[in-house]
Amino acid sequence: MEEEEEAIGYLDKVLEDEDDSEPGTPTSPVSPFSAGDKGEREAGKGLEMRKLVLSGFLASEEIYINQLEALLLPMKPLKATATTSQPVLTLQQIETIFYKIQDIYEIHKEFYDSLCPKVQQWDSNVTMGHLFQKLASQLGVYKAFVDNYKIALETAEKCSQSNYQFQKISEELKVKGPKDSKESHTSVTMEALLYKPIDRVTRSTLVLHDLLKHTPADHPDYPLLQDALRISQNFLSSINEDIDPRRTAVTTPKGETRQLVKDGFLVELSEGSRKLRHVFLFTDVLLCAKLKKTAVGKHQQYDCKWYVPLADLVFPSPEESEHCPQVHVIPDHELEDMKMKISAIKSEVQKEKANKGQSRAIERLKKKMFENEFWLLLNSPAIPFRIHNRNGKSYLFLLSSDYERSEWREAIQKLQKKDLQAFVLSSVELQVLTGSCFKLRTVHNIPVTSNKDDDESPGLYGFLHVIVHSAKGFKQSANLYCTLEVDSFGYFVSKAKTRVFRDTTEPQWNEEFEIELEGSQSLRILCYEKCYDKTKLNKDNNEIVDKIMGKGQIQLDPQAVQTKNWHMDVIEMNGIKVEFSMKFTSRDMSLKRTPSKKQTGVFGVKISVVTKRERSKVPYIVRQCVEEVEKRGIEEVGIYRISGVATDIQALKAVFDANNKDILVMLSDMDINAIAGTLKLYFRELPEPLLTDRLYPAFMEGIALSDPAAKENCMMHLLRSLPDPNLITFLFLLEHLKRVAEKEPINKMSLHNLATVFGPTLLRPSEGESKAHLTLASDIWSHDVMAQVQVLLYYLQHPPISFSELKRNTLYFSTDV
């Protein structure tokens, strides 16, 4: 079922792409770099990407052929026994179950055998569009397969129930592993294999998208691939309903078709507490349900909590909505704590697996991880989404992203444009509708990472650099800005926001952001019109409501993103096109502290060298950034957590490195988040951490001590062991961060939040040292980072520490460093 859901997701994407593209235009965004040398470089990169796309597709085509072979393998012996006195199946049953599999196998085997040598003996002039065109022209055989698919499944199921021999065969079909795979074969059920052709045709269409994207328009393959894509998309449109019969499986009392349009898990605020609900949007009604607890072996069912006919459903505007009880927002530091706990459990699971640990221990850890992720899923959303029944109650959902709120609202409003009638469901009708939800649902699992299979992508860990260039397609001038979101721990989080570009139809932001990824797989861009009307206040969270002009999402493909070069792309949203570029740095790469080659600047230069040159106790850059933040940023919401514009930070870095006399003027004009970002960057680029490589293991051991007196002795002794410039700078920063945290009610930055931001920056070992501490990329955000945060938090929570007091008290304790 999960595979089925995934394939339908692919299909929807392909068809959406088809709807969005204008007639006669390529279905993929054309790179804005198209002139001169740059164009040639891009073309070369495009051809390299073509090879990557084809190699990946070829590997999956090999797997698909092996799956078809596995399906065909029992067909011959079954046919042989059909004419004997003890047949396993009749010839009619065999024909029905294995209908068109042989034909599909032969088509793909021929395609694979023709494509393989072209990819293996690759050169830039290779053409293979005719192969894809031929493959697309043979899709008729898939139509016949799809028409028979439902009856093939039903026949296979009936035969399994009535014949033990066939049941054994169909439960364990052996699929050969790829040529270079260690696994010789895997066991798959017949039902799963029968779904593969449906899955394959949608994937082939997506590959055509990717190939077109990286094929120059003047390449001989381009028109052939376009033709193949057109045939494939038309084919997919024609069989969409056949592939997804679940959407039409319920009828209304009047005998009209009631389709499921959208479903998903949302957090409802009910009677003051958060509840996870499964919400189903049908063509004429919104139904909110929860899964019933059922005895083992019993069929699972949904329980309807409430429903609203779409004819009666209204969205109260924020200023109209009645004042509701204050939504209890969980403090950020509690959410961060939980993320760290989850990461630590993930590391333990990986270690248990690596050491071939007991499956019971792994199951126990997974259960704990699910509980923690479920808590996070329930408690992290804070964006209100209110629904009102004009004949009665209001309902309040909390979402983690404006994107979801806008998706649900748009889907409902689109259905409300039709002529809808109000109605009341009888108890029997409601029971039938709720009973259909389990079969119809398209989202099966709660979106937590512990529900993922081991072979699913773990997502990306590290830093995504994104430049938001510009946008086109606005009908009239407006004040426009974009926000960027990435998924993290199963839900989406807003990570960056461009400045507002005023009174324009073509905003040119050209702003760069560095976004930390924690197992992320998608990037979203939302485009807003800024509202300055104070009357449009949202009573749920006292924020003025800005209007979403468009939204779009792309998958973060590790192969495409993990290059050293910028990768340019376009997201199309409601007729608006946003141009952006991105590149990714994995976390192990971002850990590197690279010493500066020149010793004249301040970035990447030892702190002792800088303070000696400046004849200062604390580097000038640290003093100036701290002073500016305290002057005008101490009440800024999310100071030190919100990403500054990377181009501004680089400009400040250059000015400090050059010791330019205009530093103070530039600082006073610069956005405060860029100044905060420059300070963080300075500490991150030190050739060794402020708290030194030498003392790092001791800090890790000291913070783990349980006895408070022993911990105090050790932690103070470690401070005394730091070189003077490091110690004085650390104490100076410590007092500044405490002053920032005093304004927590306004700036929302607690001591814990600040420790989370600065702990790894001040303690993370330099490259040579860190190798000893690293295992998996995702592990880095676990034990070590948790300890780094705890070390800084310990000192932040400590009563004031003075340099002279520390130095006077030189008594050596039993802790060896």
Side-chain angles (χ1 to χ4, degrees):
M1 287 298 277
E2 283 174 31
E3 283 187 320
E4 193 173 338
E5 183 196 339
E6 182 193 2
I8 289 157
Y10 273 130
L11 174 60
D12 289 345
K13 178 185 182 302
V14 171
L15 292 173
E16 277 166 25
D17 287 352
E18 181 190 16
D19 291 343
D20 289 347
S21 58
E22 295 167 23
T25 59
T27 48
S28 300
V30 177
S31 169
F33 300 133
S34 55
D37 295 345
K38 202 162 199 180
E40 283 168 32
R41 273 205 309 279
E42 285 296 311
K45 198 171 98 182
L47 290 169
E48 188 54 38
M49 283 303 297
R50 253 163 71 89
K51 186 185 176 186
L52 283 173
V53 170
L54 282 168
S55 303
F57 183 59
L58 200 61
S60 67
E61 190 73 0
E62 185 193 344
I63 292 166
Y64 179 48
I65 289 166
N66 289 347
Q67 289 164 341
L68 293 172
E69 271 180 0
L71 202 49
L72 287 169
L73 201 62
M75 190 173 82
K76 285 171 189 162
L78 284 170
K79 272 188 175 173
T81 64
T83 51
T84 66
S85 56
Q86 287 184 306
V88 179
L89 301 182
T90 66
L91 275 172
Q92 179 62 47
Q93 287 168 331
I94 295 165
E95 285 297 327
T96 306
I97 294 169
F98 297 97
Y99 185 66
K100 295 291 176 189
I101 299 292
Q102 184 70 44
D103 295 350
I104 291 171
Y105 169 76
E106 283 165 10
I107 288 167
H108 282 269
K109 186 78 175 78
E110 185 191 343
F111 172 76
Y112 178 85
D113 291 342
S114 308
L115 184 62
C116 192
K118 287 179 178 287
V119 176
Q120 285 173 345
Q121 291 143 27
W122 181 260
D123 72 65
S124 57
N125 299 320
V126 73
T127 58
M128 39 66 211
H130 58 289
L131 299 179
F132 279 92
Q133 197 182 32
K134 185 178 178 185
L135 187 66
S137 70
Q138 295 169 308
L139 282 173
V141 71
Y142 275 93
K143 178 75 176 118
F145 175 86
V146 169
D147 290 343
N148 181 71
Y149 171 67
K150 200 172 176 186
I151 193 156
L153 270 190
E154 285 168 6
T155 308
E157 202 173 318
K158 279 178 193 161
C159 292
S160 277
Q161 286 165 0
S162 60
N163 189 303
Y164 177 67
Q165 230 178 324
F166 181 69
Q167 186 187 354
K168 278 189 74 177
I169 292 169
S170 62
E171 277 178 359
E172 276 210 16
L173 291 170
K174 300 280 187 271
V175 178
K176 267 192 314 193
K179 286 195 278 281
D180 52 356
S181 163
K182 288 175 187 167
E183 287 185 43
S184 57
H185 66 262
T186 49
S187 294
V188 185
T189 64
M190 185 172 284
E191 184 186 352
L193 287 180
L194 280 171
Y195 189 73
K196 296 297 177 188
I198 290 176
D199 187 16
R200 192 70 200 160
V201 75
T202 59
R203 285 177 186 225
S204 304
T205 311
L206 286 177
V207 166
L208 284 166
H209 265 265
D210 291 341
L211 277 175
L212 261 174
K213 194 173 184 175
H214 300 294
T215 301
D218 56 357
H219 194 284
D221 270 347
Y222 197 86
L224 301 175
L225 291 172
Q226 256 190 328
D227 191 43
L229 182 62
R230 182 185 52 76
I231 296 167
S232 301
Q233 284 181 329
N234 289 343
F235 173 73
L236 281 181
S237 299
S238 71
I239 64 162
N240 189 15
E241 289 304 325
D242 303 313
I243 285 185
D244 194 2
R246 292 171 302 182
R247 299 197 190 258
T248 54
V250 185
T251 51
T252 62
K254 292 179 185 170
E256 296 159 354
T257 304
R258 173 180 285 147
Q259 298 176 314
L260 177 66
V261 176
K262 180 178 173 63
D263 69 302
F265 290 97
L266 298 181
V267 173
E268 185 187 12
L269 196 68
S270 170
E271 294 164 1
S273 64
R274 293 167 180 253
K275 302 276 183 2
L276 192 69
R277 304 292 194 217
H278 200 147
V279 181
F280 294 85
L281 174 62
F282 292 94
T283 34
D284 62 342
V285 64
L286 184 78
L287 184 140
C288 177
K290 73 165 198 169
L291 259 182
K292 279 183 183 174
K293 284 195 170 79
T294 51
V296 180
K298 283 279 180 77
H299 183 61
Q300 278 196 298
Q301 269 297 355
Y302 279 98
D303 186 13
C304 175
K305 301 308 291 181
W306 51 265
Y307 71 90
V308 181
L310 297 191
D312 293 329
L313 190 152
V314 283
F315 298 112
S317 67
E319 57 272 23
E320 286 169 359
S321 62
E322 69 277 10
H323 192 68
C324 69
Q326 190 60 40
V327 175
H328 175 58
V329 178
I330 304 293
D332 277 351
H333 71 84
E334 285 188 34
L335 299 174
E336 292 300 327
D337 268 352
M338 188 55 83
K339 286 183 186 181
M340 289 193 174
K341 278 182 193 167
I342 293 164
S343 295
I345 297 170
K346 273 186 190 166
S347 299
E348 285 181 54
V349 170
Q350 296 293 350
K351 279 177 189 145
E352 284 286 342
K353 283 181 179 171
N355 300 332
K356 302 283 187 286
Q358 290 182 345
S359 58
R360 198 178 299 163
I362 292 173
E363 282 312 308
R364 197 175 64 247
L365 286 168
K366 280 192 169 178
K367 183 170 181 270
K368 185 71 184 158
M369 186 158 86
F370 177 83
E371 287 166 4
N372 289 347
E373 287 195 306
F374 187 79
W375 182 92
L376 200 58
L377 193 69
L378 212 53
N379 289 291
S380 57
I383 294 174
F385 176 46
R386 192 181 294 284
I387 279 159
H388 180 66
N389 183 340
R390 68 174 91 239
N391 300 320
K393 282 188 72 173
S394 281
Y395 305 96
L396 177 63
F397 292 110
L398 296 172
L399 310 181
S400 58
S401 159
D402 223 357
Y403 197 98
E404 269 86 34
R405 177 165 64 179
S406 149
E407 269 191 330
W408 279 97
R409 186 175 281 155
E410 282 168 18
I412 291 167
Q413 286 171 336
K414 191 174 175 185
L415 293 169
Q416 286 179 325
K417 285 178 182 166
K418 295 170 186 164
D419 181 27
L420 295 170
Q421 304 297 313
F423 58 84
V424 176
L425 293 173
S426 70
S427 58
V428 174
E429 287 164 352
L430 183 58
Q431 206 174 343
V432 169
L433 181 60
T434 310
S436 70
C437 288
F438 192 80
K439 181 173 84 224
L440 290 169
R441 63 194 181 147
T442 63
V443 180
H444 296 79
N445 290 327
I446 294 168
V448 292
T449 52
S450 43
N451 271 344
K452 277 187 181 176
D453 293 335
D454 291 343
D455 58 352
E456 280 188 69
S457 164
L460 294 169
Y461 288 83
F463 292 92
L464 185 70
H465 303 265
V466 181
I467 302 174
V468 182
H469 296 293
S470 58
K472 291 187 178 79
F474 296 98
K475 302 283 187 289
Q476 55 198 58
S477 283
N479 303 313
L480 302 162
Y481 69 92
C482 286
T483 62
L484 306 178
E485 294 183 352
V486 291
D487 55 313
S488 162
F489 294 87
Y491 59 95
F492 277 82
V493 187
S494 187
K495 288 282 192 175
K497 180 177 170 182
T498 68
R499 68 186 185 280
V500 178
F501 215 98
R502 296 199 172 220
D503 296 322
T504 181
T505 55
E506 293 198 4
Q508 301 279 334
W509 293 286
N510 293 316
E511 290 183 54
E512 184 185 332
F513 301 95
E514 181 184 83
I515 296 170
E516 185 160 17
L517 304 183
E518 300 165 306
S520 308
Q521 293 179 309
S522 304
L523 167 73
R524 288 172 171 177
I525 297 184
L526 293 93
C527 194
Y528 289 88
E529 179 181 353
K530 182 75 182 163
C531 172
Y532 292 104
D533 183 351
K534 293 280 195 302
T535 61
K536 297 230 166 31
L537 255 180
N538 186 335
K539 288 182 180 164
D540 290 317
N541 56 10
N542 283 329
E543 287 181 8
I544 293 174
V545 182
D546 294 336
K547 183 183 170 190
I548 290 188
M549 304 298 286
K551 62 189 192 319
Q553 175 172 320
I554 58 156
Q555 292 302 108
L556 296 173
D557 172 17
Q559 281 184 319
V561 179
Q562 281 175 305
T563 58
K564 287 180 181 168
N565 305 323
W566 287 95
H567 166 70
M568 193 147 190
D569 215 332
V570 175
I571 279 187
E572 294 203 33
M573 36 170 94
N574 302 1
I576 298 161
K577 290 182 180 180
V578 176
E579 278 186 4
F580 65 101
S581 298
M582 58 183 177
K583 67 177 179 180
F584 172 73
T585 315
S586 63
R587 186 167 263 139
D588 49 344
M589 291 298 288
S590 66
L591 286 174
K592 289 182 180 176
R593 293 176 180 270
T594 45
S596 174
K597 291 192 171 57
K598 57 185 199 320
Q599 290 296 300
T600 51
V602 291
F603 281 82
V605 179
K606 283 184 179 176
I607 197 165
S608 55
V609 172
V610 172
T611 49
K612 191 174 177 184
R613 188 202 307 140
E614 292 177 353
R615 296 180 183 164
S616 61
K617 289 183 175 177
V618 173
Y620 179 68
I621 182 173
V622 177
R623 284 179 285 133
Q624 287 309 131
C625 289
V626 162
E627 189 180 316
E628 202 63 36
V629 169
E630 292 196 359
K631 193 191 298 177
R632 59 190 179 93
I634 204 154
E635 294 189 350
E636 185 81 12
V637 174
I639 188 71
Y640 289 120
R641 196 186 69 234
I642 300 286
S643 171
V645 176
T647 39
D648 290 351
I649 294 171
Q650 290 305 319
L652 280 170
K653 177 183 175 180
V655 168
F656 274 111
D657 267 344
N659 194 18
N660 194 310
K661 58 180 181 297
D662 297 330
I663 289 174
L664 295 178
V665 176
M666 196 169 172
L667 276 176
S668 60
D669 289 342
M670 195 61 83
D671 173 66
I672 201 64
N673 287 319
I675 293 169
T678 305
L679 182 64
K680 287 190 294 182
L681 184 68
Y682 169 72
F683 285 117
R684 202 163 85 205
E685 290 199 355
L686 283 174
E688 78 161 353
L690 188 66
L691 300 188
T692 73
D693 285 329
R694 185 176 67 88
L695 296 179
Y696 183 74
F699 275 113
M700 296 296 99
E701 286 166 20
I703 200 66
L705 293 171
S706 331
D707 176 51
K711 187 185 279 191
E712 169 79 2
N713 274 351
C714 177
M715 299 304 275
M716 290 305 125
H717 171 56
L718 287 170
L719 282 190
R720 270 193 300 281
S721 308
L722 285 168
D724 282 2
N726 298 55
L727 176 55
I728 295 168
T729 303
F730 179 64
L731 296 177
F732 177 80
L733 182 67
L734 215 51
E735 292 313 306
H736 164 62
L737 295 179
K738 286 181 182 182
R739 286 192 288 275
V740 172
E742 283 169 9
K743 300 283 185 183
E744 185 194 351
I746 305 165
N747 64 29
K748 307 285 188 267
M749 291 302 286
S750 62
L751 288 175
H752 191 285
N753 281 347
L754 291 163
T756 303
V757 171
F758 276 95
T761 304
L762 302 178
L763 277 131
R764 183 180 280 161
S766 47
E767 196 195 357
E769 297 295 318
S770 64
K771 276 186 180 160
H773 298 279
L774 292 192
T775 47
L776 283 170
S778 54
D779 279 356
I780 299 156
W781 194 234
S782 56
H783 293 110
D784 271 14
V785 174
M786 284 168 78
Q788 290 158 12
V789 170
Q790 291 305 319
V791 167
L792 182 55
L793 191 58
Y794 180 85
Y795 292 122
L796 282 170
Q797 290 171 338
H798 200 279
I801 306 163
S802 96
F803 176 77
S804 52
E805 281 290 312
L806 264 177
K807 285 296 179 181
R808 208 166 30 245
N809 187 359
T810 51
L811 180 67
Y812 272 80
F813 296 92
S814 57
T815 314
D816 287 325
V817 175

